[in-house]
Amino acid sequence: MPSFYTWEEVLQSPEDFSFNSTVVASRDHHPPANGLAFPNPNAPQGQAQMTSGVELWLPTPNTSDSNQTFAQWTYSTQVFQAMTMDAQIAWYRRGAGLGENNLGALVWQLNDIWQGVSWSSIEYSGRWKVLQYTLSSVFQPVVISPFWVPENETLQVLVTSDRWEEVQAVAQLTWLDWKGSVLNSTTVEVTIPPLNNSVVFEGTGLDKVLPQGSRPEDVWLLMNVTATVNNETVTNEQYVRFQPHKN
């Protein structure tokens, strides 16, 4: 969803400032109405998809102030959108070093033609959504990405490069608790072949992945990579945790 500030440009009544209000729903065209009915009779499906995404991964907005709750919903849907796109793009870029040789991804969509629900990363007014900030990071020429498979408790950390030449990089993996205390930190020098990945870390089983004596709900991993590309320093930062943010 666009931000609260963008909704202020079109919502006129206090009751409109609600996630499922008639006016908000009328500006959700996913799925399309397939007719001239107003508001879009299929909008509840699109609203429900955003709702379930937020409730699954993030704290559910709920305050005593209806405007504040609405503002939280707009922001939370943007955070969920950014998290989803970030993970998808990282997965596609990972394919550069695999059999499918996936060397690119196109993002739909950049901007909006009105104030409404959409896939855009930039709002009608030009305000950046959370996704636009994410895209500026995830499409760096050299990136570091975590791939966590909870079914078999496997964590793989890759550094991916889209350069046509070999790249030298330095990756740093830092484990922290939720008080901000550093539990341990590892620096790895890595060489990435052209248009490819290099494995920085791989482990299976929480006893091999987490710092000794740690529980998955108590720690998180901060990852950084620094490389020189075209005589310029390129950096990328990512993180991984092992519980949904709502927890």
Side-chain angles (χ1 to χ4, degrees), residues 8 58 71 115 143 170 173 186 188 241 244 247:
E8 284 185 308
L58 301 168
Q115 303 93 332
V143 296
V170 176
L173 308 181
T186 305
V188 181
R241 59 172 305 191
N247 297 334

Side-chain angles (χ1 to χ4, degrees), residues 54-96:
V54 169
E55 291 179 341
L56 182 63
W57 293 103
L58 301 168
T60 301
N62 182 26
T63 74
S64 59
D65 184 300
S66 60
N67 276 4
Q68 183 177 352
T69 299
F70 182 58
Q72 288 183 356
W73 271 110
T74 63
Y75 182 72
S76 294
T77 59
Q78 289 192 21
V79 171
F80 176 71
Q81 177 194 28
M83 290 169 55
T84 303
M85 295 288 282
D86 186 27
Q88 288 181 321
I89 292 168
W91 181 259
Y92 296 149
R93 294 194 64 177
R94 175 179 180 268

Side-chain angles (χ1 to χ4, degrees), residues 3 6 33 58 65 80 82 88 110 121 126 165 205-206 223 233 243:
S3 66
T6 292
L58 301 168
D65 184 300
F80 176 71
Q88 288 181 321
L110 178 64
S121 60
E165 67 278 357
L206 291 177
M223 298 158 288
T233 300
Q243 299 288 324

Side-chain angles (χ1 to χ4, degrees), residues 160-174:
T160 301
S161 170
D162 68 3
R163 307 307 298 171
W164 289 89
E165 67 278 357
E166 185 178 89
V167 172
Q168 304 295 323
V170 176
Q172 185 173 27
L173 308 181
T174 303

